[in-house]
Amino acid sequence: MHVKVENINFSYTELPVLQNVSFQIQSGTITGLIGSNGSGKTTMLKIMIQKLTPSSGNILVNQSPVSALSNTNHPFTFVPDTPVYYEELTVLEHLQFVKALYPQNPLSLQGLIKQLDLQKHLHKIPCALSKGNLQKLMIALALLRQYEIFLADEPFTGLDPRQLHIFKQILQELTHQHKAILISTHLLDLAEAICGRFVFLHNGQVLAEGSKEEITAQYHVSDAVSLEELYLHLTDRCTSDTVKP
């Protein structure tokens, strides 16, 4: 599975949010979409799942435009930054509902409940959950769909160290299943630990793309720097270039 984002532009009213954004993600790889708040990460993900329509540009999945794919073979699943749920359904009812919609997904419902440690919360409604457990529900619902491309917007928010460990294990399992994974985050230490490739998004534009080694080589930066130091160096350099007379 190969996803190619080509020259995406998007604006809210007169304010440009994304400007000629292009990058690629591939099967078996975790790509980190890195950027500060307001850099356009959430907007980009919403365009990829067709919740928003770009003013120009294309998103291709195996060379086919996403807009041409039907709902029955739509390859994306998505963990949103703001939880989305039915207020009157319990955790178990949410899980059973999505499982029934995608019976071809071989993932065991009981196995997933155990893996995410949701047993004690199955008969609660979502608003009664802690932030971390609500996030685990969103992750579980995304995993139960039929998909080849896993997108997640700030999925680490609210997860405690044990929950983070479990989620990182799940992401590694997805790479072994040759899923393409794109994770939006501003937690750079965590991104450096789990992602093999990165897209640096800054002020709605792609600042750099590639593995950490490729980006440091491209910009002649020491490969001993952390991902955080690399990102800050490139954004500071971009800001400095912008303000030059």
Side-chain angles (χ1 to χ4, degrees), residues 7-236:
N7 299 315
I8 292 294
N9 288 277
F10 183 86
S11 300
Y12 290 109
T13 62
E14 299 299 319
L15 180 66
V17 178
L18 299 173
Q19 302 175 64
N20 296 315
V21 170
S22 298
F23 61 88
Q24 301 181 47
I25 61 174
Q26 298 180 345
S27 298
T29 302
I30 304 174
T31 300
L33 183 60
I34 307 300
S36 60
N37 293 332
S39 62
K41 304 189 303 298
T42 296
T43 299
M44 186 66 249
L45 291 175
K46 287 181 177 179
I47 289 172
M48 294 180 76
I49 63 171
Q50 297 183 277
K51 190 171 183 179
L52 294 174
T53 302
S55 54
S56 63
N58 293 294
I59 296 173
L60 306 176
V61 177
N62 290 342
Q63 300 184 338
S64 297
V66 167
S67 57
L69 301 177
S70 67
N71 288 334
T72 56
N73 66 350
H74 204 273
F76 293 95
T77 194
F78 181 52
V79 180
D81 60 334
T82 302
V84 179
Y85 51 83
Y86 296 100
E87 293 182 0
E88 296 181 357
L89 295 185
T90 65
V91 168
L92 180 59
E93 288 168 339
H94 275 86
L95 297 172
Q96 291 173 331
F97 176 62
V98 175
K99 180 65 174 174
L101 289 175
Y102 300 93
Q104 66 272 41
N105 187 329
L107 189 62
S108 163
L109 181 56
Q110 291 305 316
L112 183 62
I113 289 170
K114 182 177 180 181
Q115 185 178 24
L116 290 172
D117 195 23
L118 288 170
Q119 302 95 316
K120 295 180 292 185
H121 309 289
L122 293 177
H123 301 294
K124 297 178 182 177
I125 57 175
C127 66
L129 298 176
S130 68
K131 191 171 185 179
N133 285 318
L134 186 55
Q135 186 73 337
K136 288 194 295 182
L137 174 60
M138 295 300 104
I139 292 168
L141 296 177
L143 293 170
L144 286 170
R145 296 184 175 92
Q146 188 70 13
Y147 64 96
E148 293 299 325
I149 305 159
F150 183 92
L151 308 180
D153 192 4
E154 300 291 352
F156 309 117
T157 302
L159 298 182
D160 63 28
R162 180 173 295 278
Q163 294 165 346
L164 279 173
H165 177 71
I166 292 169
F167 185 47
K168 287 192 287 186
Q169 287 182 320
I170 289 173
L171 292 175
Q172 288 301 321
E173 290 170 8
L174 295 183
T175 64
H176 297 153
Q177 297 168 19
H178 303 291
K179 307 294 187 185
I181 304 166
L182 180 65
I183 295 176
S184 158
T185 184
H186 59 267
L187 301 177
L188 301 194
D189 289 347
L190 203 50
E192 184 169 8
I194 66 172
C195 298
R197 293 181 62 80
F198 305 93
V199 177
F200 288 175
L201 199 59
H202 181 62
N203 292 336
Q205 298 178 305
V206 173
L207 191 58
E209 176 189 5
S211 67
K212 182 185 169 188
E213 293 75 18
E214 290 170 341
I215 296 173
T216 54
Q218 178 183 353
Y219 287 92
H220 308 290
V221 178
S222 168
D223 57 9
V225 301
S226 67
L227 185 70
E228 179 181 32
E229 290 169 330
L230 177 60
Y231 173 77
L232 292 175
H233 172 79
L234 296 187
T235 53
D236 288 346

